Amino acid sequence: MPNTQPVPQPGILQIDAYVPGESSVAGDLKPIKLSSNETPLGPSPKAVAAYRAAADSLALYPDGGANELRKTIAGHYGLDPERIICGSGSDELINLLAHAYIGPGEEAIYSEHGFLMYKIATLGSGGKPIAVPEKNYRADVDAILAAVRPNTKVVFLANPNNPTGTYLPHDEVRRLHRGLPAQVLLLLDAAYSEYVRRNDYEAGLELVATTPNTVMTRTFSKIYGLAALRLGWAYCPAAVADVLNRVRGPFNVSAPALAAGQAAILDRAHIDTAVAHNEKWLPWVAAELERLGLQVTPSVGNFLLIHFPAAPARSAGAADEFLKGRGIILRRVAAYGLPGALRMTIGSEDDNRRVVAALRQFMGQS
Ligand SMILES: Cc1ncc(COP(=O)(O)O)c(C=O)c1O
């Protein structure tokens, strides 16, 4: 019997569509939105000015090769511009890599509480997502290596990971790479790398520079404050860059995004301010929440995973409702296998103080 309607490819209907962080609450309250790991400082004013200037040329297609932006990124990090590929957010690059390298029935590995897009991109390619257990909310290199099979095509690793905030030191990432067969692509997703202040951390540039099967992705959505524009980039081996150039749309990044991204990366002072803000408030919020008796997973990103008690009145779901009633939006992370936790983005000083005060009340301590 012929199908009575168009049928999508295998895997597509297994995808639970990504649910973004909420952005509004009931009533007239102006919400405090700490649900998507955006920066409370906003973008560099220079990026905003470049974005506005781009309004004069909206009739023209953007530079399809993102040449100026790639040159600027290359100059900033000391990279080969030919091996940089820009995308409409790093999500697009993750998807393109999955579509290019994972075929029907082939496997891609990610860690248990890893970023959700890895599963979505794998299923979207007809592949089989393999979630590997973590240890203490951290990716487990031995478990990942034990899950590799002859038909494994990609290992996805967010470092630091969202939503746990944990990271793997460079030695561990190197050990992971050493254990992978040469045909497996290791995708290091370094969306939060600018926030990390650890001597043993490396975002992935070194491995990409020295190995033929590692790709690093980066984003302008987090510390650069340009989430609305959708801009990310990947640093790749030459052969992978060639593949991405074949499969990406010819004008996959808009002209305002290219202009703003270039100005943003050159404004080091703005990034330094954002790092300093996070360095001050991340430990402050963590300590205050622990004082309330909540468990907080140690984070090196701009967000915290907060674990709530099992008692229904003190649970993550109850906390979420309580906070929303006060105009505060954190992120439920049940879809990440963490039904007992909420993720909180580090906000402005005022936001952070208000969340802590509200949770103090929720925990019955005010
Ligand atoms: C680990 C990780 N990778 C990638 C992304 C996607 O970023 P982009 O806005 O560049 O698509 C996010 C966004 O939340 C993320 O947390």
Side-chain angles (χ1 to χ4, degrees), residues 27-116:
D28 297 335
L29 287 173
K30 183 177 175 312
I32 296 177
K33 179 178 186 286
L34 301 174
S35 57
S36 298
N37 298 343
E38 297 138 331
T39 170
L41 304 189
S44 155
K46 293 176 183 159
V48 177
Y51 170 80
R52 292 213 167 97
D56 292 340
S57 311
L58 293 184
L60 305 179
Y61 277 101
D63 166 13
N67 287 297
E68 290 307 313
L69 176 59
R70 287 190 301 108
K71 256 191 258 166
T72 305
I73 295 170
H76 181 74
Y77 289 101
L79 305 178
D80 174 0
E82 295 302 317
R83 295 168 56 182
I84 295 172
I85 304 294
C86 295
S88 173
S90 47
D91 279 347
E92 184 194 23
L93 297 162
I94 292 166
N95 259 316
L96 289 174
L97 286 162
H99 286 289
Y101 287 96
I102 306 167
E106 293 179 331
E107 297 188 351
I109 297 173
Y110 62 99
S111 70
E112 189 182 2
H113 306 301
F115 182 48
L116 270 181

Side-chain angles (χ1 to χ4, degrees), residues 5 10 70 76 112-113 145 152 168 170 175 179 197 204 220 237 244 250 276 282-283 288 295-296 301 314 316 326 364:
Q5 58 182 18
R70 287 190 301 108
H76 181 74
E112 189 182 2
H113 306 301
L145 292 177
T152 301
L168 285 188
H170 190 44
R175 186 164 78 81
R197 289 292 173 274
F220 282 86
L244 286 175
L282 181 87
E288 290 292 319
Q295 267 179 29
V296 179
R314 296 270 191 269
R326 283 151 186 77

Side-chain angles (χ1 to χ4, degrees), residues 247-333:
V247 295
R248 71 179 175 83
F251 305 104
N252 61 328
V253 181
S254 74
L258 291 173
Q262 201 176 338
I265 209 160
L266 292 172
D267 190 350
R268 293 315 304 164
H270 189 73
I271 300 308
D272 291 346
T273 306
V275 170
H277 178 87
N278 201 58
E279 286 284 276
K280 174 170 179 186
W281 290 102
L282 181 87
W284 183 86
V285 175
E288 290 292 319
L289 296 180
E290 279 169 351
R291 241 206 302 241
L292 301 180
L294 295 165
Q295 267 179 29
V296 179
T297 301
S299 169
V300 295
N302 67 331
F303 54 90
L304 289 166
L305 187 66
I306 310 166
H307 303 268
F308 287 82
R314 296 270 191 269
S315 67
D320 189 38
E321 289 308 315
F322 183 91
L323 291 171
K324 274 197 215 144
R326 283 151 186 77
I328 298 169
I329 309 173
L330 306 192
R331 179 60 168 263
R332 296 290 313 256
V333 281

